[in-house]
Amino acid sequence: MNWGRAKTILIIMFLTVDIFLLCVLLQTRSDYEQLPKETVEKTVQILQDKGIKIQTETVPRQRTKNQNIVLKNYFSNPAQAAELMLGICEVKLSDDENHEYLFENEEATLKVKDTFFTYTSKKKVMPYGSGEKTDTKIVQENLKKLGFKANEFTVLQEQNSSGLFEGRIIPLYNGKKICGISMNVKADKEGILSLEGHWFSSAEAESYGNEPLLDITAVLVNVIYRNDQWPKSVEAIESCFYTSGDYLESREISATPIYVITDQSGHQKYFDARVGNEIE
Amino acid sequence: MLKKYLKNLLLFFSVLLMFFLAGQIWFGSYFLPDGYSYITSSIHSHIINPIQKWFDKGHEAGFSQNMKVLLKPNKIVLNHSGNRVMIQNGHPDFEKVRSFSDEFIYKVLTGEYSVRIKETISTDTYHSLLKGKTIYVDYGKDCDFRLFSSTLCDQSSNLLSEDISIVSGYIIGLHDSVMNDVSLYITDKKSNTAYRYIIEMNKNALDAQLQEYLAGASTGNILSYSFELNFHKEQENSASKVLFDPLILLDLMPSEIPSVQMLGTEEEHRSRFEEMTEDVLEVFSINSRTMRRYTDLENARVFVENNATLTMYPNGRLEYQTVQGSRGLDISNSTDRTNYDVSRAMADSVDFVAALCSYMPETYFEHLQISSGLVSQTERQTSYKLSFDYCVNGVPVRWQTEDGYHAAIEMEVTEGYLTSYRHCLWGYKAYEGERQQCLPLLTAADQLVNTLHNGTEPLHIETADYCYVVEEAGAVVPKWYGRVDGVERIFE
């Protein structure tokens, strides 16, 4: 018996089987990570039949992981936060009992009450001229200088108000927005003038890989049973995280996965991605 | 040669890769959506857990077994020929004497020892018995007789049930008569009637046993009942400022009890607390994945549910509180809520506490003792406040907080629903080498009079025992605790 030839045949056979199995595995994974196109189309059809305007492209097909994001309060240790934001500074007030603090240097002041913070710059205001477009990049650059990591925040609702940039900053985790936490920013064309609100940084993700989230199609189908006839049209659907505003005075909180549906007028509603309920 | 090796290697790896890929497809497939955890959880639930149950003789043994651990006598007083000894849990002979007295009452309750004569006796006679050859078993709290009987002999009704409703202890009497019989004395606390049951049994064997225990347990201190010193009633010629219950034992000399310290370090406790979080949440049916959980600025972890809040404090305390108007956590073993009496409340509570303690070191549950009274105050009572003490050598450890002194576990159950629960999970142990002095009760009572006496009516000390108090700063000091004019107090 020619063992050399037999081995060659076996190698070819096994490699063929391996390639086949790899294809099956990749296909299975892909099916698991993405919603079937037919399901999305059928869902869109049902909604359209009920008079809700929606495009197939609006529905994200990518399935999201079931995980909680543990968030740590940026201002639970005010001295540490002040060092990050102001650098060397003077402690003007440090009342541990009432959790009230005031830090100051030549450039700015930082006030912390419980975990609500107010950062105020002492720089001269340089407003945008009429017709001049506000620049988000300036805000992003300056936030980085204040110690906020670029991939952990995004700027929303920016507007020009009397020559000043005004907007809302919310945290991100792996590119996904964390709703319920925000800080308001005011900036001129040179830098940040004021910043206030609550801020949390993501510490870790608790994954529940064995329990998939509800598909967005299931949430969308439920929308047709609403009594308030909302929405007339679905403009955008986003997969995000959410934490309740009730717990912002805490040292550590967790954010859970949600779907955010935006209607034609920009109005948003949050839906728990685990059970499909609307979050009031 | 090299080509041959390469072929072998390639063949080996291609076979290996095939198995790996097949495994990935199989375990991540439609058939096994949970992957490997499906197999491990199946093995656990169908094979390991049933086998474990066979060998587990711990505190998951059922209500009656758990009650035997949780309802022990507060003290057993042996009296024979002018010699008197008080034995408490932790004493080397306690378990021996307790099982001896348990066996006696078990045989009476189950009818193994037949009752020859039953008669009622006066309270004074009941008290005077304690000067003779007796074993006085004192539970230190009122207990529903059906519950008491279920605990001791697994029968809620028996020969004594028609006489006794509420019991707090009993006396085994070996009177000095020539008759070879033994008497069981029990006072029904509801009607305040004392009963004597003359039991047919060999007195001599019991007498020899009692003498043997006394010989080994003598402490040297002379103990007197308050009725022997006439401290239980007002004197004719002088007004008393304080009166003691007749059965309170008074030691006129200062005594010493071992010092108590926390079991392990605070850090160890914290990490164990951290480890058991998931299990605690499961016991309280709280979803650990909820967004409504947070760590507050004092580092307490809070889990908010629609109907309740569970808070785990960094100092080892656990608090569960339902919101107003909510029924609370269903801990009942039955769906029928009618006639929810103290026995059912206790059964549900003990099962719940045992379930929670099964996630803690085994010794913790063994240190627990029921400290609240086990009686229904009214016929229609459906809500019960129950408490369990963590005891070191039979002496309870109480925790001092801003709002008073607390037992290790305090819970409220309404018709099978847990409405509030407070539990200190830290354990303590005694250091025999280090002893702390305790003031005599009479000295402590003097100080109590200085604080509470209003100048007219005398204070009535109904119960009095030692306890350890964990002060807010963390120090553990011995003090007296008891019921004074119906109110639980700690005094020194």
Side-chain angles (χ1 to χ4, degrees):
Chain A
M1 189 175 176
N2 189 341
W3 278 106
R5 184 169 291 179
K7 273 185 201 167
T8 311
I9 293 167
L10 281 171
I11 289 167
I12 292 167
M13 248 176 62
F14 278 114
L15 284 178
T16 314
V17 171
D18 287 343
I19 291 164
F20 170 73
L21 290 174
L22 192 66
C23 291
V24 171
L25 183 66
L26 291 175
Q27 185 60 43
T28 315
R29 290 261 163 99
S30 154
D31 286 351
Y32 185 77
E33 284 165 11
Q34 285 217 321
L35 277 169
K37 204 176 170 190
E38 300 75 40
T39 312
V40 175
E41 283 169 354
K42 275 183 186 165
T43 309
V44 168
Q45 190 59 52
I46 292 166
L47 291 172
Q48 284 173 346
D49 289 350
K50 291 285 174 184
I52 299 169
K53 287 179 192 161
I54 184 170
Q55 302 300 314
T56 315
E57 303 76 53
T58 312
V59 183
R61 283 186 58 205
Q62 192 70 27
R63 284 193 168 109
T64 43
K65 280 186 195 166
N66 185 0
Q67 53 187 4
N68 274 4
I69 310 302
V70 178
L71 301 159
K72 285 201 187 294
N73 198 315
Y74 204 74
F75 294 93
S76 60
N77 186 342
Q80 206 176 357
E83 199 183 321
L84 280 168
M85 292 180 81
L86 303 180
I88 298 164
C89 60
E90 196 183 336
V91 182
K92 291 276 185 186
L93 173 69
S94 178
D95 182 352
D96 287 336
E97 204 167 309
N98 297 312
H99 213 266
E100 199 168 354
Y101 306 87
L102 181 64
F103 305 91
E104 191 171 356
N105 66 8
E106 286 173 359
E107 291 167 7
T109 60
L110 175 69
K111 190 181 166 190
V112 181
K113 173 78 183 102
D114 291 329
T115 57
F116 186 89
F117 81 98
T118 310
Y119 167 89
T120 315
S121 172
K122 290 179 179 174
K123 72 187 266 308
K124 197 180 165 199
V125 181
M126 301 288 285
Y128 288 94
S130 57
E132 210 175 342
K133 209 181 163 196
T134 54
D135 191 355
T136 312
K137 274 186 187 165
I138 293 172
V139 175
Q140 286 169 334
E141 287 303 318
N142 279 279
L143 280 170
K144 276 194 262 178
K145 281 181 196 165
L146 290 175
F148 297 96
K149 289 178 191 158
N151 58 346
E152 286 192 352
F153 67 84
T154 186
V155 184
L156 299 176
Q157 297 169 0
E158 53 242 70
Q159 58 173 331
N160 188 329
S161 170
S162 313
L164 294 178
F165 175 101
E166 279 186 12
R168 207 159 63 88
I169 296 161
I170 66 165
L172 295 179
Y173 177 78
N174 274 356
K176 288 197 170 78
K177 290 173 196 160
I178 300 174
C179 306
I181 303 166
S182 68
M183 53 185 177
N184 296 321
V185 61
K186 266 187 192 173
D188 61 10
K189 60 184 181 183
E190 284 185 346
I192 289 173
L193 296 172
S194 75
L195 200 58
E196 64 173 23
H198 293 93
W199 195 250
F200 287 76
S201 53
S202 42
E204 57 173 323
E206 295 170 347
S207 287
Y208 309 108
N210 295 333
E211 294 166 35
L213 293 176
L214 266 186
D215 287 336
I216 181 62
T217 47
V219 177
L220 284 171
V221 168
N222 260 331
V223 159
I224 62 175
Y225 300 110
R226 291 175 67 93
N227 293 327
D228 59 0
Q229 310 289 312
W230 185 93
K232 296 270 183 278
S233 163
V234 176
E235 294 301 313
I237 298 170
E238 212 176 342
S239 181
C240 302
F241 293 99
Y242 172 81
T243 188
S244 167
D246 297 341
Y247 310 124
L248 295 180
E249 299 295 343
S250 309
R251 186 179 291 274
E252 196 178 283
I253 53 176
S254 62
T256 53
I258 56 161
Y259 295 118
V260 181
I261 299 179
T262 311
D263 70 2
Q264 68 288 346
S265 58
H267 185 69
Q268 291 185 326
K269 284 196 189 290
Y270 299 159
F271 295 87
D272 190 327
R274 287 189 180 129
V275 287
N277 290 346
E278 185 188 339
I279 299 168
E280 302 289 346
Chain B
M1 196 66 177
L2 184 70
K3 198 178 160 190
K4 193 179 157 192
Y5 279 125
L6 275 175
K7 265 190 178 177
N8 285 342
L9 208 64
L10 197 59
L11 185 59
F12 175 73
F13 278 110
S14 58
V15 172
L16 208 67
L17 184 64
M18 186 197 72
F19 279 113
F20 173 74
L21 291 170
Q24 286 288 309
I25 293 166
W26 177 254
F27 290 116
S29 78
Y30 181 78
F31 304 108
L32 293 170
D34 287 348
Y36 301 97
S37 66
Y38 171 81
I39 294 175
T40 51
S41 69
S42 291
I43 291 171
H44 261 278
S45 62
H46 295 111
I47 302 167
I48 296 175
N49 291 349
I51 293 171
Q52 238 171 13
K53 275 187 183 171
W54 278 94
F55 295 99
D56 190 6
K57 291 185 176 168
H59 41 262
E60 282 188 277
F63 171 62
S64 150
Q65 282 299 105
N66 288 331
M67 276 300 282
K68 279 190 175 73
V69 176
L70 295 169
L71 186 65
K72 285 181 187 156
N74 204 359
K75 58 179 179 278
I76 301 174
V77 186
L78 308 177
N79 206 75
H80 194 290
S81 314
N83 196 0
R84 181 176 292 157
V85 169
M86 181 179 77
I87 295 174
Q88 282 186 295
N89 196 358
H91 187 284
D93 287 332
F94 179 80
E95 281 307 324
K96 216 160 47 179
V97 180
R98 181 199 167 205
S99 63
F100 168 75
S101 55
D102 275 0
E103 191 188 338
F104 175 82
I105 193 109
Y106 173 87
K107 286 181 175 171
V108 175
L109 296 177
T110 54
E112 212 171 309
Y113 287 157
S114 56
V115 175
R116 198 156 53 83
I117 300 167
K118 178 184 90 174
E119 60 186 13
T120 54
I121 55 168
S122 69
T123 311
D124 285 343
T125 313
Y126 186 82
H127 292 161
S128 63
L129 284 166
L130 295 165
K131 295 177 187 171
K133 290 181 193 172
T134 50
I135 299 169
Y136 170 41
V137 183
D138 180 17
Y139 282 83
K141 62 187 87 55
D142 290 347
C143 182
D144 183 274
F145 188 72
R146 287 167 304 154
L147 190 58
F148 178 79
S149 179
S150 304
T151 305
L152 288 172
C153 68
D154 296 324
Q155 292 176 8
S156 59
S157 70
N158 51 59
L159 185 73
L160 277 57
S161 304
E162 55 189 57
D163 305 325
I164 317 286
S165 299
I166 296 170
V167 64
S168 70
Y170 58 90
I171 299 167
I172 304 169
L174 292 78
H175 27 95
D176 295 320
S177 71
V178 289
M179 302 292 284
N180 190 20
D181 53 31
V182 177
S183 295
L184 171 70
Y185 301 89
I186 306 185
T187 298
D188 175 32
K189 302 287 272 187
K190 193 176 181 185
S191 60
N192 238 351
T193 312
Y195 292 91
R196 178 191 184 189
Y197 302 92
I198 300 176
I199 315 289
E200 269 187 42
M201 70 171 289
N202 187 352
K203 184 172 80 174
N204 296 335
L206 205 64
D207 192 286
Q209 194 89 62
L210 178 58
Q211 286 192 62
E212 188 193 319
Y213 290 143
L214 267 167
S218 185
T219 56
N221 278 17
I222 302 152
L223 299 164
S224 307
Y225 287 104
S226 83
F227 73 84
E228 292 174 309
L229 304 170
N230 269 335
F231 286 166
H232 67 302
K233 57 184 176 189
E234 288 206 63
Q235 304 302 305
E236 284 173 10
N237 43 7
S238 65
S240 303
K241 288 184 179 174
V242 62
L243 296 177
F244 294 87
D245 186 87
L247 296 184
I248 288 181
L249 272 173
L250 298 164
D251 189 348
L252 303 177
M253 303 298 291
S255 56
E256 286 184 334
I257 58 172
S259 290
V260 158
Q261 284 182 18
M262 187 193 288
L263 201 61
T265 62
E266 249 178 65
E267 207 45 55
E268 283 168 0
H269 277 285
R270 285 212 178 98
S271 71
R272 197 180 302 127
F273 200 26
E274 196 84 23
E275 280 167 23
M276 61 184 282
T277 304
E278 284 296 319
D279 301 321
V280 169
L281 295 179
E282 200 183 317
V283 172
F284 284 94
S285 301
I286 284 180
N287 178 9
S288 62
R289 294 162 198 190
T290 172
M291 72 186 81
R292 292 177 295 178
R293 62 169 183 166
Y294 59 92
T295 307
D296 71 12
L297 291 175
E298 309 302 323
N299 271 327
R301 284 180 298 158
V302 186
F303 298 84
V304 184
E305 287 279 294
N306 286 337
N307 57 357
T309 301
L310 177 78
T311 311
M312 298 170 86
Y313 292 97
N315 62 1
R317 249 168 243 160
L318 188 78
E319 264 185 41
Y320 175 86
Q321 187 64 52
T322 50
V323 296
Q324 217 171 9
S326 157
R327 282 198 302 194
L329 177 69
D330 186 359
I331 60 165
S332 180
N333 297 314
S334 153
T335 48
D336 179 20
R337 315 277 165 175
T338 50
N339 302 324
Y340 195 78
D341 62 4
V342 69
S343 302
R344 291 177 64 190
M346 202 63 221
D348 293 340
S349 305
V350 165
D351 286 349
F352 182 80
V353 169
L356 187 60
C357 290
S358 67
Y359 298 108
M360 297 173 69
E362 209 168 306
T363 51
Y364 186 92
F365 189 78
E366 289 161 13
H367 282 277
L368 289 180
Q369 281 295 292
I370 296 166
S371 54
S372 51
L374 302 176
V375 288
S376 298
Q377 301 300 328
T378 60
E379 293 260 320
R380 288 185 178 178
Q381 187 177 352
T382 52
S383 183
Y384 296 89
K385 281 184 179 174
L386 302 164
S387 58
F388 299 78
D389 270 323
Y390 183 92
C391 296
V392 179
N393 289 346
V395 180
V397 181
R398 297 278 168 97
W399 279 265
Q400 186 181 19
T401 64
E402 283 170 1
D403 54 337
Y405 298 93
H406 300 278
I409 300 172
E410 292 175 344
M411 62 198 295
E412 192 169 352
V413 183
T414 307
E415 290 184 334
Y417 293 97
L418 182 72
T419 52
S420 84
Y421 186 86
R422 191 197 286 238
H423 189 162
C424 185
L425 300 160
W426 288 2
Y428 286 80
K429 68 173 178 183
Y431 282 87
E432 290 294 339
E434 226 176 273
R435 298 184 78 83
Q436 284 177 294
Q437 204 178 53
C438 294
L439 288 176
L441 179 58
L442 291 178
T443 316
D446 278 342
Q447 290 180 19
L448 197 65
V449 166
N450 292 340
T451 330
L452 296 176
H453 190 244
N454 59 9
T456 52
E457 287 295 304
L459 298 175
H460 189 201
I461 298 179
E462 294 155 30
T463 61
D465 282 294
Y466 290 128
C467 74
Y468 291 106
V469 171
V470 183
E471 293 180 329
E472 281 186 279
V476 188
V477 291
K479 290 187 182 181
W480 285 96
Y481 84 100
R483 213 168 44 245
V484 183
D485 290 333
V487 180
E488 289 272 351
R489 289 187 188 279
I490 288 196
F491 49 99
E492 53 185 326

